[in-house]
Amino acid sequence: MATPDADSRALVDEARTPGSRPTAPPSHLTEPSIPARSKKQNIHVSLAVLEAARKDGEQLLRDLRTSPAGLTQADAEERGHTAGPNEVAQERRQGWFLRLLKITRNPLVILLTTLSAVSFLTGDARAGSVMAMMVALSVGLRFWQEARADAAAEKLKAMIHVTATVVRDGEAREVPLRELVPGDIVRLAAGDMIPGDVRLLLSKDLFVSQGSLTGESLPVEKFHDPETNEEALPTELKNICFMGTSVESGTATAVVVTTGVQTYFGSMARSITGERVQTSFDQGLNRFTWLMMELMAVMVPLVFLINGFTKHDWKGAFFFALAVAVGLTPEMLPMIVSVCLSNGALVMSRKKVIVKRLNSIQNFGGMDVLCTDKTGTLTEDRVVLMRHCNVAGRETDDVLLDGYLISYFQTGLKNLLDRAILNSSDFHAKAVVGKYKKLDEIPFDFTRRMMSVLVESPEGKALLLTKGAPEEVFLHCSQFELDGKLSTMDADQVAGLKQEYDSLSNDGFRVLAVATKDLSGRQICAKDDERGLILRGYVAFLDPPKDTAARALAALHSHGVAVKILTGDNPLISRKVCKDVGLSADPMLLGGDVEKMSDAELGEAAKNAVLFARMSPAHKQRVIRILRGTGHVVGFMGDGINDAPALRAADVGISVDTATDIAKESADLILLEKDLTVLEGGVIEGRKVFANIVKYIRMGASSNFGNMFSVLGASAFLPFLPMAPIQVLTNNLLYDFSQVPIPADAVDEEQVTRPRPWNIGEIKRFILFVGPISSIFDYATFFVMLYIFNCWDPSRAPLFQTGWFVESLMTQTLIIHVIRTNKIPFLQSRASWPLTATTLSIMAFGMWLPYSPLASALGFTHLPPMYWPILLFILLGYVSLTQVIKVWLLRKRWI
């Protein structure tokens, strides 16, 4: 059984089988769902629940074919097979076929597969085989990496278990929540999660927290009498408790009416788990892909037509154009992206971050706005007693003693404030409390908003001790005590007392008033005795800021991430917390302000606002959508079911392992600690991932753009093909292998200090200025081969093709070391050893090919000795000019 003091949101978690989804319960147990009269759209409550609310308890048990002694184990197992596991809708884990299908739907994979098929159909098996190898390498590696990351996320879900107290075969036992079925009899106590949609049969002082469904902070009282209000909203049904809520205080016995997806909670979950909004990472990657496709759509037909008309060999022109199409395709992009993201996921898992969706890693790094709640993120998510003062604000142990006795002697569930008083380390009450004797008590209820205990003092007096909300206690007081003197609570005095109370509230304290009354001679008390009280003072509590919060916020700020607090809490308390951790709370936006603003007004206000208080789930979602619309990459951190829409609206949704299942299903990343310091490491890792992806994109895009000019020019004036189709494919395959270590490459520190969102404009500028540089040196190679080595003669075409093949491979492979850094390559910044080793290996292999046994099969011939010093000069010139242009673009801030 979950512990009574557990956070109700954490109690929603349960172990579940990934991807399973219960079938409909039997017709006699569950009717079809009908729309509930609810303020939430697309949320339904079962007709069976509505009918159960209005039936007599005995009749309901007969209809559900159960009894107060519960179901037999055999009957429960039979119903379990029919109703399915008691778990809400969640995103199904994709099977291997669906995952493979999703990966192969990538435009680049489709194009490469099509070209490979065409090559086989037209008789060029060698080219088709090379292209098929590229497809298999890209798809296979991405499939394996994504499956591994998904398995890690599933292991996390299996860590969490919750049980319920169920009566079966006449005995109470603990049963896993997923095994509950309609007709089960359950017993509820303070701190328990409601295990399904249940109808109360017996109840005593039962208060249920429905905040996970409604967002309301105060518990609501539930009764076991039949519902008589025909117009009641689902959450207003007095005898129905819904799955996903929890017991705040009291006890009850109930019968389970619906489970799993048939519950109100499950209906809400189904409305949430829809298609995700496409993130900035997905959008940027798609834009780049289509940019390359557009270049190919122009380039390939031109190459085909030019070579066909000038060489009069249309078959040769076709295969050359086909090879050029493959060469222009950044076919390794899906693999490079997947490996980068997977490596990032493995590193982040060691930093207490589980990655559920690989694409979210880059968004994590590109995030420039983080929206989060304050509780548990900025604060410790625990209440500490900070002040115990008289009505003038001066510290006094007398008030603390009164408060301690009330918390100690009350028999109801001791809430966070009671435990904070009892755990106070600066007080000697534990030695004093034994001298007092409890006589009676008046339990807390949410109408009076206070509670009282009647105790006998060491002097034999009967004292009524009361604590509660100050505004309510004031109404029950006729006098107040200050320095041993009593004064009347007239209007002027009350105004002054409220000023002191407001002063504490403005400092961010949660305040309770403490009052007393002499009831000497009495042994029992009633609510009517809570009149004519004497106000003694206040006890004030605070959810203290985390020691790491200010440092974590400063670190995020230094890395270009602005933190905005979106909370449903009191604005005064929220303002105090923000101040304590170094966040500016001005200007502050309240939920009511957001409601009245147009999208344009909210967009302008959200730019400067840091604190958003009294926010409903819909307000949070709208703020995130507006921030994204203004060009920000937005992260949202939440852990409740009502946070799920906002988690899905964000570029990257972040949750914690103690969150509700729906929050975790909606999130992209799951933190093993609810702490901003954990986020910092993840942000840096995300930026490293992005930096390495951009290296490949810049390399591939600029190289392809330069090759376009080189191939078009060579096709126009040469009497033969500038490179044989098999040579083009071999060049491309070797170049692809040289790029494989990029995901593990080192990243310069300055490249991870600021967010780097996708910017297709920067990529285009890089292509336009850096791409043509390769063409300059390609044409220089053409000049050398034609005029120094006399390759105008078609019989010397293999020499020309070999010379350009080697130069093209060497320049493409070497230039990654210039593009990978904003510094001077090799001197100020060095690549990782795998990338360096691969570069040297591919360059050496390219130099060896013309002299290898493979030379004749690939159409190569020996290169003259004079070629190599000329090539060295070309390489030095290419690297130097590219570095100059890169530095110029950086100074212009164009890249």
Side-chain angles (χ1 to χ4, degrees), residues 77-108:
E77 291 176 359
E78 181 181 348
R79 295 190 186 195
H81 289 308
T82 306
N86 179 30
E87 53 189 24
V88 299
Q90 58 180 346
E91 294 180 350
R92 295 187 180 185
R93 187 178 181 183
Q94 289 182 329
W96 68 268
F97 180 75
L98 290 177
R99 178 179 281 111
L100 185 63
L101 184 63
K102 181 180 178 181
I103 292 172
T104 54
R105 283 193 318 214
N106 182 281
L108 297 179

Side-chain angles (χ1 to χ4, degrees), residues 348-421:
M348 290 171 71
S349 68
R350 295 192 289 269
K351 297 180 179 180
K352 300 182 180 180
V353 180
I354 299 295
V355 179
K356 285 186 59 192
R357 297 182 180 89
L358 289 179
N359 283 7
S360 65
I361 296 178
Q362 188 280 325
N363 290 324
F364 202 16
M367 176 178 67
D368 61 347
V369 174
L370 172 65
C371 298
T372 180
D373 190 13
K374 68 172 182 61
T375 304
T377 305
L378 301 183
T379 67
E380 296 181 1
D381 201 10
R382 65 183 181 91
V383 175
V384 177
L385 176 67
M386 301 294 292
R387 300 284 307 277
H388 41 89
C389 55
N390 61 21
V391 294
R394 294 192 293 272
E395 296 294 309
T396 171
D397 283 350
D398 292 339
V399 172
L400 180 54
L401 175 59
D402 291 345
Y404 192 99
L405 292 171
I406 298 168
S407 297
Y408 182 84
F409 283 121
Q410 67 148 322
T411 57
L413 176 69
K414 289 178 171 54
N415 61 27
L416 292 174
L417 304 184
D418 293 314
R419 291 196 295 273
I421 294 176

Side-chain angles (χ1 to χ4, degrees), residues 419-598:
R419 291 196 295 273
I421 294 176
L422 297 175
N423 293 334
S424 178
S425 61
D426 62 343
F427 190 51
H428 59 280
K430 294 178 182 178
V432 178
V433 72
K435 299 178 182 180
Y436 288 82
K437 176 184 176 183
K438 178 183 174 182
L439 301 175
D440 198 7
E441 74 174 300
I442 308 172
F444 177 87
D445 68 58
F446 291 92
T447 302
R448 291 165 37 248
R449 297 174 63 201
M450 58 186 188
M451 68 160 301
S452 302
V453 295
L454 182 65
V455 300
E456 182 180 297
S457 71
E459 295 80 20
K461 290 184 177 181
L463 296 175
L464 184 69
L465 307 177
T466 301
K467 70 176 173 67
E471 56 269 29
E472 296 295 334
V473 174
F474 283 177
L475 297 176
H476 293 76
C477 290
S478 59
Q479 295 176 296
F480 67 90
E481 180 182 340
L482 181 61
D483 298 329
K485 298 179 181 179
L486 298 180
S487 303
T488 304
M489 296 267 291
D490 55 35
D492 292 337
Q493 297 284 14
V494 169
L497 294 171
K498 285 186 175 179
Q499 187 174 3
E500 181 60 34
Y501 154 61
D502 288 339
S503 176
L504 290 171
S505 296
N506 287 333
D507 286 337
F509 291 107
R510 180 86 171 268
V511 182
L512 295 180
V514 177
T516 64
K517 184 178 181 180
D518 188 344
L519 292 180
S520 294
R522 298 277 296 276
Q523 293 293 314
I524 60 174
C525 57
K527 293 180 181 179
D528 288 343
D529 293 317
E530 294 177 325
R531 298 184 183 280
L533 301 175
I534 299 173
L535 180 65
R536 297 264 283 169
Y538 311 101
V539 284
F541 308 84
L542 194 65
D543 182 1
K546 287 184 176 179
D547 295 336
T548 59
R551 184 170 67 253
L553 289 171
L556 288 171
H557 179 73
S558 67
H559 289 110
V561 180
V563 177
K564 296 182 183 292
I565 307 303
L566 276 61
T567 178
D569 207 347
N570 182 298
L572 296 177
I573 295 175
S574 302
R575 186 189 295 273
K576 168 65 175 174
V577 171
C578 287
K579 180 181 178 181
D580 288 345
V581 298
L583 282 178
S584 172
D586 294 311
M588 175 174 61
L589 283 181
L590 300 180
D593 301 327
V594 171
E595 195 76 40
K596 299 173 185 175
M597 291 180 175
S598 66

Side-chain angles (χ1 to χ4, degrees), residues 31 108 158 190 208 287 297 316 321 372 395 434 745 762:
E31 300 290 341
L108 297 179
V208 175
R287 284 197 295 268
T372 180
E395 296 294 309
D745 187 30
E762 287 187 2

